[in-house]
Amino acid sequence: MYRNVLVPTDGSEPAARAVEQAVEIADRFDATLHVLFAADVDDRTPWDLSGSQVVESVRDHGQALVDGVAERAPDDLEVTTAVVDGDPRDAIRAYAEDEGIDVIVMGTHGRRGVDRLLLGSVAEHVMRNADCSVLVTRADADEESVDDATTAIDAARDALEAADGVDADQLHLADDPHEMGGYWIVRAETDDRAFNVHISRATGTTRIADVTDE
């Protein structure tokens, strides 16, 4: 049904929900996941501004976001990342057309001011004008954000203790979770296995990666 799934991201909580759903859809249909960050810099931007450190920082931030999504994706999922300049409304539509995207997955709203890059009114514009299907994600009633390291460690422990084949009595979790692209990553070990548990800051959902042989 789907061969190419596109998810634009700006690192916000709505974008994080969209990323999770896009990964699930791409994985289910064995599709390629395209992760896009659009920086609002285009040909109308003066040369001295478009080449400034501020704009380069925005691009670097976008690259870190899309790389973070690719790193957290299942190992057997094909992921393509892109950072483009321009009005996000036009950039998303152009990318979807150029790459033969079958469905775009987006959040319901995003940030304002300096951090406004992708979502909000952009989602509405894409819904109205894209040639492909557009799926808009919404928060579930039982979703809870994970705002601190202690809560992330507790969520990782709960997920591992509920997982098949993990000896809960041997579990040792690191007390210094790493933050990347809207996720906490908690390292955990037993006597003979090692895991990275990815916890969404926006929704609290978890994914366990067995990294024993890495």
Side-chain angles (χ1 to χ4, degrees):
M1 183 176 183
Y2 298 130
R3 293 176 300 172
N4 291 285
V5 178
L6 170 61
V7 58
T9 184
D10 65 353
S12 66
E13 291 188 6
R17 287 194 292 270
V19 166
E20 291 177 4
Q21 191 151 359
V23 168
E24 181 178 343
I25 292 170
D27 193 38
R28 180 183 305 170
F29 290 99
D30 195 25
T32 298
L33 177 67
H34 297 254
V35 188
L36 176 68
F37 179 95
D40 203 355
V41 181
D42 57 29
D43 293 339
R44 294 169 294 179
T45 304
W47 181 87
D48 57 344
L49 176 60
S50 63
S52 72
Q53 290 183 343
V54 173
V55 174
E56 286 302 319
S57 177
V58 171
R59 295 183 182 126
D60 290 344
H61 173 65
Q63 191 65 56
L65 286 176
V66 298
D67 288 347
V69 173
E71 182 176 327
R72 295 189 306 273
D75 292 339
D76 58 349
L77 182 63
E78 183 177 352
V79 181
T80 296
T81 64
V83 175
V84 299
D85 293 341
D87 186 321
R89 295 170 297 181
D90 298 329
I92 294 168
R93 291 175 55 208
Y95 185 94
E97 182 177 347
D98 292 344
E99 299 298 328
I101 298 299
D102 300 300
V103 60
I104 304 170
V105 185
M106 299 185 70
T108 55
H109 63 85
R111 300 170 177 174
R112 296 293 179 182
V114 175
D115 290 332
R116 182 193 62 76
L117 294 176
L118 278 180
L119 303 175
S121 61
V122 177
E124 181 179 359
H125 180 89
V126 173
M127 287 174 60
R128 293 179 181 276
N129 295 283
D131 293 330
C132 63
S133 299
V134 180
L135 174 64
V136 176
T137 64
R138 301 185 185 278
D140 294 332
D142 60 349
E143 287 182 356
E144 295 184 7
S145 61
V146 179
D147 298 321
D148 58 78
T150 299
T151 306
I153 293 170
D154 290 342
R157 184 180 299 278
D158 290 344
L160 287 164
E161 290 180 347
D164 293 334
V166 178
D167 189 341
D169 293 333
Q170 296 181 1
L171 271 177
H172 172 73
L173 281 75
D175 59 4
D176 55 345
H178 177 63
E179 291 185 75
M180 177 181 292
Y183 279 75
W184 296 97
I185 302 175
V186 179
R187 179 78 174 190
E189 297 180 351
T190 63
D191 289 348
D192 56 355
R193 300 176 70 185
F195 307 93
N196 282 338
V197 184
H198 301 252
I199 305 102
S200 168
R201 289 184 60 98
T203 66
T205 55
T206 59
R207 182 175 68 83
I208 300 172
D210 190 327
V211 294
T212 302
D213 297 326
E214 295 183 3

